[in-house]
Amino acid sequence: MNKTNMISPKRLLVITDSHFIEKNGIFYTELQSDSSFWQRYLDVFDELIILGRIRKAVESDDLDQYLVSSRQGVRFLAIPEFVGVQGLASYWAEINKRYDEALDSVDAIIARTPGTILAALWWKIKSGMKPFAAEVVVNPSTAFLSEKNSLIGKLSSRFFTWMTRDICKNADGVSYVTSRVLHQQFPSGRSLGDMTRFESWYSTIDISDSFYIDQRERNKPSCITVAFSGQMNNLRKGQDIFLRTISILNERGVPVKAIMVGDGGMRPYLSDLADSLGLHDSIVFSGWIAGTKRVQRYISKADFFLLPSLSEGLPRCMIEAMASSVLCICSGADGMSELVDGCCIVSDNSPSHYADVIQYFWENWEEYSSELANQFATARQFNSSNMRTRRKSFYSELLARTCKQKQ
């Protein structure tokens, strides 16, 4: 029987910190939560209710640059747009009201954690009225390192670290974007000995076979290109370190160009920093580009992808670069150490050491080709078929809990 014809459709409440824009009943987003993203949940559940931050479109919004998130079987429950802890305090009551509205009509809850919206609801969810699973997508103990000198940053780090541990301990099921790193810091109830609970790992990424670009036999360029991709709302992804690395390579006489894909409140600062470092003719700021295939057109032209992040879960942008045959160099923070190893990890996050690694590979192109082949093989493990199988098994276990609860 087609599940859409079932007498009692199974509904899932998805709690996410994603931001959405609404116009004429159509919902849009800048990041990963486009219409295809929801299919992972719809493979098991019949209908979704998305609890997220939503604002009305304004005239200045170029919606052609956004991703459509609306689709059949998905309903959006709006929380007014807000940012940060101060915004959370302002809309605490509104968040709880919207959650209460949805609770009676859903069979289970899943939340992408850590999250500000979840912070307002965990005390209710923990009561166990509905089966609940958490998807741990980033490490809260490192996520606020870019704000380490801020009192709010320090308090936020401590609170969200505590909350994530409590969620993982008490949720019916927990999945992690890493296969090892986040499990160790935030153990699930199952790993703590409660065998009635369940656990898994999978990336949020969805790479089809057609996405992979095999450029492993590329020739050594006369001028190398180094790429970065990510939000620019803060310096958590080490964007300033990226720029200083390019500057050092320039000073050493290494022919280099750079591209930074992304946008955010820190972009003017980063643009000014690039100018002060003498990079005006060496770097391109592409602005925000929505959609992985569109981003790939930029990234795949690079020779290196540099991600000097202070905090990550398992960075999608890095896996996508590896799948495009672009050699990744990174800080090794959190899950990045599961993707690359050896000299491709610069654990002290030093611009001069990043420059050393990039210069070494440029001068030893056979080593570059060998490491590129290793990274391309790693990216193959994250193809959509493998990830979909793992996710479907996890969501099916959550659905089974709804059936047991009603017996």
Side-chain angles (χ1 to χ4, degrees), residues 251-262:
E251 291 171 0
R252 294 179 181 179
V254 177
V256 60
K257 297 288 185 182
I259 180 170
M260 297 190 79
V261 177

Side-chain angles (χ1 to χ4, degrees), residues 54-72:
I54 300 173
R55 67 171 176 84
K56 293 284 187 179
V58 296
E59 188 174 344
S60 60
D61 288 323
D62 182 3
L63 295 180
D64 289 338
Q65 299 300 314
Y66 288 77
L67 304 169
V68 175
S69 192
S70 296
R71 63 171 293 165
Q72 186 176 1

Side-chain angles (χ1 to χ4, degrees), residues 116-344:
T116 26
I117 294 174
L118 182 58
L121 300 173
W122 174 234
W123 64 284
K124 283 186 174 180
I125 296 172
K126 191 176 178 179
S127 67
M129 293 180 64
K130 301 284 183 177
F132 169 75
E135 294 181 307
V136 184
V137 297
V138 74
N139 185 346
S141 67
T142 58
F144 296 92
L145 285 177
S146 63
E147 304 171 37
K148 61 184 177 182
N149 295 322
S150 158
L151 177 60
I152 291 179
K154 291 178 180 178
L155 294 176
S156 296
S157 179
R158 291 181 182 180
F159 171 76
F160 283 106
T161 297
W162 167 84
M163 186 184 77
T164 302
R165 286 200 178 105
D166 196 50
I167 288 170
C168 291
K169 178 182 177 181
N170 290 284
D172 294 296
V174 182
S175 75
Y176 304 85
V177 291
T178 64
S179 62
R180 300 183 307 274
V181 173
L182 292 175
H183 299 61
Q184 296 165 0
Q185 294 190 53
F186 306 96
S188 69
R190 184 177 182 86
S191 66
L192 291 172
D194 186 348
M195 305 311 289
T196 66
R197 303 180 191 274
F198 57 101
E199 177 189 304
S200 186
W201 78 269
Y202 46 79
S203 170
T204 59
I205 203 165
D206 195 8
I207 301 182
S208 64
D209 289 340
S210 62
F211 186 90
Y212 291 90
I213 301 176
D214 190 347
Q215 304 180 92
R216 288 173 289 176
E217 301 302 322
R218 67 169 72 190
N219 295 322
K220 179 180 178 178
S222 58
C223 176
I224 59 174
T225 301
V226 185
F228 167 91
S229 175
Q231 58 83 15
M232 298 180 183
N233 293 320
N234 52 48
L235 298 179
R236 180 171 64 87
K237 290 186 176 290
Q239 301 93 326
D240 53 337
I241 299 171
F242 176 92
L243 292 173
R244 296 184 194 282
T245 301
I246 304 303
S247 177
I248 292 171
L249 288 168
N250 262 334
E251 291 171 0
R252 294 179 181 179
V254 177
V256 60
K257 297 288 185 182
I259 180 170
M260 297 190 79
V261 177
D263 209 345
M266 294 300 292
R267 181 177 168 184
Y269 164 79
L270 294 169
S271 181
D272 289 343
L273 177 60
D275 288 343
S276 72
L277 293 170
L279 300 179
H280 179 75
D281 296 325
S282 302
I283 190 165
V284 172
F285 287 89
S286 73
W288 186 257
I289 300 173
T292 54
K293 289 295 288 184
R294 293 168 68 185
V295 172
Q296 188 185 40
R297 295 189 194 109
Y298 285 83
I299 302 302
S300 62
K301 297 174 183 177
D303 306 291
F304 296 91
F305 185 84
L306 176 57
L307 192 62
S309 289
L310 303 176
S311 171
E312 287 290 345
L314 194 75
R316 292 160 43 96
C317 61
M318 194 163 144
I319 300 172
E320 289 163 0
M322 292 162 64
S324 304
S325 297
V326 179
L327 189 68
C328 291
I329 314 294
C330 67
S331 65
D334 302 322
M336 288 191 282
S337 61
E338 297 184 4
L339 297 175
V340 302
D341 55 20
C343 66
C344 290

